[in-house]
Amino acid sequence: MNQTHSVKQKTHQFLIILLPILVTQLTLFSMNFFDTVMSGHASARDLAGVAIGSSIWSPVFTGLNGILLSLSPIVSQLVGAKQNNEVPFKVIQGIYLAVAIASAVILCGTFLLDPILNGMSLETQVRQIAHDYLIALAFGIVPLFIYTVLRCFMDALGQTRVSMFIILLSLPINVGLNYLLIFGKWGFPRLGGVGAGYATAITYWCIMFISFAVIARVKPFSDYRVFSRWFRLSLSAWKEQLKIGVPIGFAIFFETSIFAAVTLLMSGYDTATIAAHQAALNFASFLYMVPMSISMALTIAVGFEVGAKRSKDARQYSFLGVGIALMMSVVCAIALILFNEQVAGFYTTDPTVLELTKQFLIYAIFFQLSDAIATPIQGALRGYKDVNSAFLVALISYWVLGLPIGYLLANYQAFGAFGYWIGLISGLAFGAIFLMGRLLRIQRRHSAPTPTGQVR
């Protein structure tokens, strides 16, 4: 990243970082989308098995993967402070930590997978597909976590276009392997939904090796000579990353797992209501890629400015990111109002499900408006290495406030299934207000003069 002065320059710099991240996140979302859709064309049971497997894996992955995201603010602050010689050590330790976390996931899965699946009321074939899908996916957990570390390093240097191109390259690889392994084309075995698991695992190995090659050979990454020396494992370096990463991981886990909890609580409603809820939630997840990408870009931009001790610039980037997120959310809200029926029509042709989906999508508007404030602020706070507040807010806003409010409205008022959405919106709105207050406080602390008379 370069130092910028005017708001126009900052906007240009921020968009250079943001747009590739947004494309990357949308592409990652598309990989899951193609896994689900292509498995559905194999059979309804394959679709159900992959959906169950994904619902178990997603909260675990996003939470643990969030721990590794701590490398972004660490590296961006080092680069901002011109301490580039310390970067290789941090990246290598991040790789070691990624392997340790991935190994722990695989070990825990060995003992917990069967009890979890046995505790669910599933058809025998659906249960077997979900089990085998997750086993297949497990072969790609180690490279996936290592790739996350490598991507954090690349993104922290502001080179988000590179990680974008790597992910864009992985999409046709994943779709092609899905075609071969799900449907048994060109002499490959027909594995159904389980084939999607193997295809995804192989894709993760591909993007990891591509990332290694890029960092070793392409400037500016090669200037850091990250792989010229494999340092000894350092528990103190792990402690630093875990101190920042664990709260990030828990915050993401609390946020993603709440939707799985709501889906389980809604299992008492009829099939049409559940289907409409899932359709609207899928589209809301798609819209969420916008504030989530802005959040990741803010972590890089704010972390760089904090490392360079430019508190005014860090503050300007924070509000610029929130402003862009709000502007884009308003545009999405207007589009969703105007094209409500068309969006619902992407998911279903059933008249009952269509009408319910349209109603859920109206609630999704308010959901993503709150996300436009809360999610970018979390990214800005990570840039300041302030992560515990976001963790506490996620716990309180979703689980202490949102879910109980939703349960009361759904079961003791006339809102029905929509009550759960109102509860989540209420919790998220509280979180947005609290996080904004926390951000202003952190900014004042960093703007306060030190005993020497300098601004931090």
Side-chain angles (χ1 to χ4, degrees):
M1 280 184 60
N2 299 315
Q3 183 181 3
T4 56
H5 300 282
S6 68
V7 174
K8 182 178 180 181
Q9 288 176 318
K10 282 185 171 61
T11 303
H12 181 259
Q13 177 75 67
F14 187 71
L15 290 176
I16 288 176
I17 299 172
L18 168 63
L19 293 178
I21 291 178
L22 180 58
V23 172
T24 300
Q25 292 305 122
L26 290 174
T27 305
L28 287 169
F29 185 86
S30 299
M31 288 175 64
N32 180 263
F33 171 79
F34 281 115
D35 278 358
T36 305
V37 170
M38 294 177 77
S39 296
H41 281 83
S43 77
R45 287 190 177 93
D46 284 291
L47 173 60
V50 171
I52 293 295
S54 296
S55 67
I56 294 172
W57 168 239
S58 292
V60 175
F61 163 66
T62 52
L64 294 175
N65 198 56
I67 296 174
L68 302 174
L69 296 180
S70 61
L71 191 68
S72 283
I74 291 172
V75 171
S76 61
Q77 287 199 16
L78 286 174
V79 174
K82 300 190 184 302
Q83 298 174 356
N84 296 0
N85 59 310
E86 296 185 28
V87 171
F89 174 76
K90 302 294 185 183
V91 176
I92 295 299
Q93 296 302 321
I95 292 174
Y96 294 158
L97 182 59
V99 173
I101 292 174
S103 300
V105 172
I106 295 170
L107 182 62
C108 290
T110 303
F111 296 102
L112 298 177
L113 180 57
D114 282 328
I116 291 172
L117 290 172
N118 290 337
M120 304 173 72
S121 300
L122 300 173
E123 293 181 22
T124 304
Q125 285 182 295
V126 172
R127 182 206 173 282
Q128 191 62 46
I129 291 170
H131 175 275
D132 294 348
Y133 169 79
L134 288 170
I135 293 297
L137 203 61
F139 287 100
I141 293 177
V142 171
L144 173 62
F145 281 24
I146 292 175
Y147 163 73
T148 298
V149 172
L150 301 179
R151 179 191 169 186
C152 284
F153 165 62
M154 291 186 282
D155 288 352
L157 301 185
Q159 301 295 321
T160 52
R161 284 175 292 181
V162 177
S163 54
M164 176 191 73
F165 285 126
I166 292 173
I167 287 296
L168 284 175
L169 181 63
S170 73
L171 185 59
I173 294 174
N174 182 248
V175 173
L177 289 171
N178 274 347
Y179 178 74
L180 296 177
L181 297 175
I182 292 175
F183 304 110
K185 302 296 183 179
W186 294 1
F188 285 86
R190 189 183 190 281
L191 301 177
V194 178
Y198 285 112
T200 301
I202 295 170
T203 303
Y204 290 152
W205 281 100
C206 290
I207 60 177
M208 183 195 72
F209 285 127
I210 293 170
S211 298
F212 269 118
V214 167
I215 291 173
R217 298 173 180 237
V218 178
K219 289 182 176 292
F221 315 115
S222 59
D223 295 335
Y224 288 82
R225 298 174 58 82
V226 171
F227 307 126
S228 62
R229 178 185 173 189
W230 288 88
F231 300 90
R232 289 184 178 181
L233 188 150
S234 170
L235 293 179
S236 61
W238 280 25
K239 183 179 178 181
E240 179 190 9
Q241 293 192 25
L242 289 171
K243 185 177 180 180
I244 300 172
V246 168
I248 293 175
F250 271 112
I252 295 173
F253 175 77
F254 285 138
E255 188 169 346
T256 54
S257 60
I258 191 70
F259 298 106
V262 168
T263 301
L264 289 174
L265 287 170
M266 290 184 66
S267 61
Y269 292 95
D270 59 74
T271 303
T273 301
I274 297 172
H277 160 77
Q278 287 294 100
L281 191 59
N282 181 265
F283 192 76
S285 299
F286 171 74
L287 294 179
Y288 180 69
M289 293 300 104
V290 176
M292 181 179 173
S293 300
I294 292 173
S295 174
M296 296 173 72
L298 276 177
T299 299
I300 298 165
V302 172
F304 181 84
E305 300 299 343
V306 170
K309 302 188 183 304
R310 293 192 290 264
S311 60
K312 180 182 177 181
D313 295 283
R315 185 170 63 252
Q316 289 178 338
Y317 271 119
S318 300
F319 293 124
L320 175 65
V322 174
I324 291 174
L326 277 172
M327 181 181 66
M328 296 182 74
S329 72
V330 169
V331 172
C332 290
I334 294 172
L336 200 50
I337 292 171
L338 294 176
F339 303 104
N340 181 269
E341 186 165 354
Q342 287 84 349
V343 172
F346 285 146
Y347 294 93
T348 183
T349 55
D350 183 281
T352 304
V353 177
L354 182 69
E355 190 59 36
L356 285 170
T357 302
K358 288 165 59 179
Q359 295 178 50
F360 275 115
L361 287 172
I362 297 299
Y363 288 96
I365 292 174
F366 297 98
F367 202 95
Q368 58 107 24
L369 284 171
S370 296
D371 264 331
I373 300 174
T375 306
I377 291 177
Q378 287 185 42
L381 288 172
R382 289 170 193 164
Y384 285 103
K385 291 187 179 178
D386 183 79
V387 292
N388 290 322
S389 55
F391 154 62
L392 291 172
V393 167
L395 174 62
I396 295 171
S397 62
Y398 281 109
W399 289 92
V400 178
L401 293 176
L403 191 60
I405 290 173
Y407 185 83
L408 290 173
L409 292 175
N411 293 278
Y412 297 98
Q413 297 295 323
F415 292 100
F418 301 113
Y420 287 111
W421 283 63
I422 297 172
L424 293 177
I425 293 167
S426 302
L428 190 58
F430 163 81
I433 295 169
F434 183 89
L435 287 171
M436 177 60 78
R438 179 63 180 177
L439 178 62
L440 294 174
R441 182 180 177 184
I442 293 295
Q443 289 175 341
R444 284 195 298 270
R445 182 188 302 171
H446 278 261
S447 299
T450 62
T452 60
Q454 296 179 331
V455 175
R456 297 179 189 179

